[in-house]
Amino acid sequence: MNYLVTGATGGFGTAALKSLQALVPQENIYALARSAEKAADLTAAGVNVRLADYNQPAELKAAFAGIDRLLFVSGAPGNRQQEHQNVVDAAKAAGVSYIAYTSFADAQNSVSALAADHAYTEKAIEAAGIPHTFLRNNWYLENELPLIGAALQSGEFVHAGGAGKTGWALRREYAEVGAKAIAGSDYPEILELSGTPVTYQTLVTAVEEATGKTLAVKDANQKDFEASLVAAGLPAPVAEIFYGFQADIKAGVLDVTSDDFAKALGRPLTSLAEGVKELLQ
Ligand SMILES: NC(=O)c1ccc[n+]([C@@H]2O[C@H](COP(=O)([O-])OP(=O)(O)OC[C@H]3O[C@@H](n4cnc5c(N)ncnc54)[C@H](OP(=O)(O)O)[C@@H]3O)[C@@H](O)[C@H]2O)c1
């Protein structure tokens, strides 16, 4: 049985490979990267590296030869539907027998602009008839690091998420479920991987617990929110992208309640305060 993790040079893929190494023999683990240069650390660590870009169907087909179980890590927004279709088509052509795909919270019903590509990809995998698990990942706690960093500089945690709730969890925990999925866990076709949904106010309390600092909290408008990130050193276009995420959170698109995550992990999730502490180390 051979296992391949795509997006292996990214944060999720790196964590997933680490988890996978504890579950299956090293010689059966393959990693997909876009360039040998980026994959140099993986090669040096003895991981079998295959090279392909999601934009290159022929490369993908060759990269998936002999692979049984695929952890398909979603790419970056842009031309993602075509890229993901290429991945699914190549997996089908190569005879891949199972795909775990990193999707989005409540993907088929979500009103988030981010969800459309994931809803599309889920349908493409279904249409290909490949047995699968959709890992409907909620929000990485890591996504909040710029806001947390800005707050620790200024003493005020500025967000624009209103009373919207988010099911934050550590990226490595989402990735561990991805690794367990391809290693052969008996998971259902859909896992809604969400931490307990909480507001920014609760996240700030966790940051205070993790750091021992007292922070003011401001639920800001777009202008003030973006200004706070720019003041902390983020480029204005990036601050604007972050505002888009805040609008999603305010609209409740990440407010998904499910016990799938702890069940799939086989243990409770790391608490927010412990998670923040880990990320700030
Ligand atoms: N749920 C959340 O909170 C959340 C947050 C951020 C992202 N995401 C999604 O989850 C995915 C994994 O997260 P992450 O933190 O690991 O992101 P990341 O660190 O940006 O890693 C993305 C990985 O995908 C690879 N990739 C991107 N486009 C590709 C293409 N056209 N062909 C082949 N490989 C491609 C990248 O390769 P290179 O190293 O060559 O660029 C990288 O290995 C992201 O790509 C995004 O779709 C989810």
Side-chain angles (χ1 to χ4, degrees):
M1 188 76 73
N2 289 322
Y3 311 84
L4 184 137
V5 177
T6 77
T9 51
F12 183 101
T14 300
L17 280 172
K18 197 171 164 205
S19 291
L20 193 58
Q21 280 163 343
L23 299 171
V24 303
Q26 170 82 19
E27 64 264 29
N28 299 117
I29 299 177
Y30 291 76
L32 187 79
R34 275 198 273 199
S35 75
E37 201 180 17
K38 278 195 175 170
D41 288 350
L42 288 168
T43 307
V47 178
N48 303 301
V49 172
R50 297 257 173 103
L51 298 179
D53 191 297
Y54 294 169
N55 283 297
Q56 300 297 329
E59 286 180 8
L60 286 167
K61 204 175 153 194
F64 293 164
I67 300 301
D68 303 290
R69 295 177 72 86
L70 180 68
L71 176 50
F72 173 12
V73 177
S74 50
N79 188 31
R80 194 154 55 165
Q81 294 188 10
Q82 183 58 57
E83 291 177 1
H84 285 189
Q85 187 68 57
N86 293 342
V87 172
V88 174
D89 291 348
K92 178 83 179 164
V96 167
S97 60
Y98 172 84
I99 297 179
Y101 168 70
T102 62
S103 187
F104 189 84
D106 196 20
Q108 295 299 335
N109 304 305
S110 179
V111 296
S112 169
L114 288 172
D117 294 345
H118 296 290
Y120 175 93
T121 308
E122 287 188 355
K123 293 284 185 206
I125 293 168
E126 278 172 355
I130 302 174
H132 54 266
T133 299
F134 300 143
L135 307 166
R136 289 188 177 163
N137 294 343
N138 202 295
W139 220 222
Y140 302 162
L141 187 53
E142 283 81 349
N143 299 341
E144 305 307 321
L145 280 173
L147 277 68
I148 294 170
L152 294 176
Q153 274 181 40
S154 70
E156 182 177 56
F157 191 108
V158 182
H159 69 91
K165 292 183 176 176
T166 303
W168 286 291
L170 289 168
R171 181 169 55 192
R172 68 167 169 79
E173 292 178 314
Y174 294 104
E176 184 176 335
V177 174
K180 289 179 78 172
I182 60 167
S185 294
D186 191 16
Y187 287 155
E189 291 192 344
I190 295 174
L191 287 174
E192 287 289 349
L193 299 176
S194 284
T196 304
V198 296
T199 62
Y200 269 109
Q201 185 67 53
T202 301
L203 178 64
V204 174
T205 303
V207 175
E208 289 180 323
E209 196 183 324
T211 60
K213 293 195 174 152
T214 302
L215 298 168
V217 186
K218 181 175 175 181
D219 182 13
N221 60 24
Q222 180 171 2
K223 187 167 150 276
D224 291 350
F225 172 77
E226 292 179 15
S228 76
L229 289 183
V230 169
L234 256 73
V238 177
E240 197 180 339
I241 291 170
F242 268 81
Y243 178 74
F245 303 150
Q246 297 288 297
D248 268 356
I249 287 172
K250 191 170 187 168
V253 303
L254 295 171
D255 187 358
V256 173
T257 298
S258 166
D259 61 1
D260 285 356
F261 208 163
K263 271 195 200 157
L265 272 179
R267 61 171 193 274
L269 291 171
T270 304
S271 73
L272 280 184
E274 286 301 320
V276 170
K277 220 183 261 181
E278 180 176 319
L279 295 181
L280 293 178
Q281 267 169 13

